[in-house]
Amino acid sequence: MTVIVCPALWQKLREHLARAYPYEGCGLLLGTAAETDTTVAEVWIAKNAWDATAAELFPEAATLGSARDRFAIDPRELLQAQKSGRDRGLDIVGVYHSHPDSEAVPSAFDREIAWAAYAYLIASVQQGRVAEVRCWRLDEATDAFRPEALCIRAAGVEE
């Protein structure tokens, strides 16, 4: 499976995550999923709603953490994005977030909140600059993340 993001949306996502530093930035990816690829048609910028109330929903998390190393998307915002997308024939196909001054690999907490249906774009933001973005998907059979191909190009354009 390959996740396809057009250059303009790629730039929007990266700028949002750089601005969020030193906190985790987060958002949703709306688009369409086919058998061989997922095409992102919209980057939905979300507010990082991580706080003590959000932490209560994840008692298995070892520590409370903060918005510097955790993220949450308010369920009302998730529903709003879902409805907005549905009105335009789009689904939520993924989630993106940053890891400030850390690697672009899923954390144990990321695993706790992951859904196999979504692509997860994780950005390493070093000192306020996006250093790397990698794509992951949860493999239900192994209950672990696996890397997924990420392609920055206009939809419908062949490589």
Side-chain angles (χ1 to χ4, degrees):
M1 181 84 85
T2 299
V3 175
I4 301 166
V5 182
C6 77
L9 294 177
W10 180 248
Q11 185 66 25
K12 179 179 179 178
L13 180 148
R14 290 171 60 94
E15 287 174 356
H16 169 231
L17 296 177
R19 279 193 317 271
Y21 183 86
Y23 301 100
E24 284 199 11
C26 59
L28 301 167
L29 305 170
L30 280 68
T32 56
E35 212 172 288
T36 59
D37 57 32
T38 297
T39 301
V40 176
E42 181 178 342
V43 169
W44 183 283
I45 294 174
K47 176 184 181 279
N48 184 346
W50 184 263
D51 60 13
T53 303
E56 289 175 6
L57 299 174
F58 303 99
E60 65 281 351
T63 61
L64 170 63
S66 72
R68 287 183 55 91
D69 60 4
R70 298 278 192 272
F71 79 95
I73 298 174
D74 186 301
R76 293 169 293 206
E77 188 165 13
L78 185 67
L79 185 59
Q80 182 183 7
Q82 190 175 38
K83 286 180 179 178
S84 174
R86 186 176 52 225
D87 290 345
R88 293 173 288 126
L90 303 174
D91 295 311
I92 296 174
V93 294
V95 175
Y96 71 92
H97 74 282
S98 58
H99 284 179
D101 299 318
S102 189
E103 295 180 288
V105 296
S107 67
F109 180 74
D110 293 337
R111 169 53 205 99
E112 291 295 327
I113 64 171
W115 292 8
Y118 290 165
Y120 288 86
L121 271 61
I122 302 176
S124 169
V125 180
Q126 303 291 327
Q127 300 301 309
R129 298 187 65 187
V130 175
E132 177 184 30
V133 181
R134 295 180 65 192
C135 187
W136 304 87
R137 190 170 302 263
L138 183 66
D139 183 332
E140 285 183 300
T142 63
D143 201 34
F145 278 101
R146 62 175 167 73
E148 190 154 272
L150 179 60
C151 182
I152 311 307
R153 66 173 163 83
V157 175
E158 294 301 318
E159 291 187 278

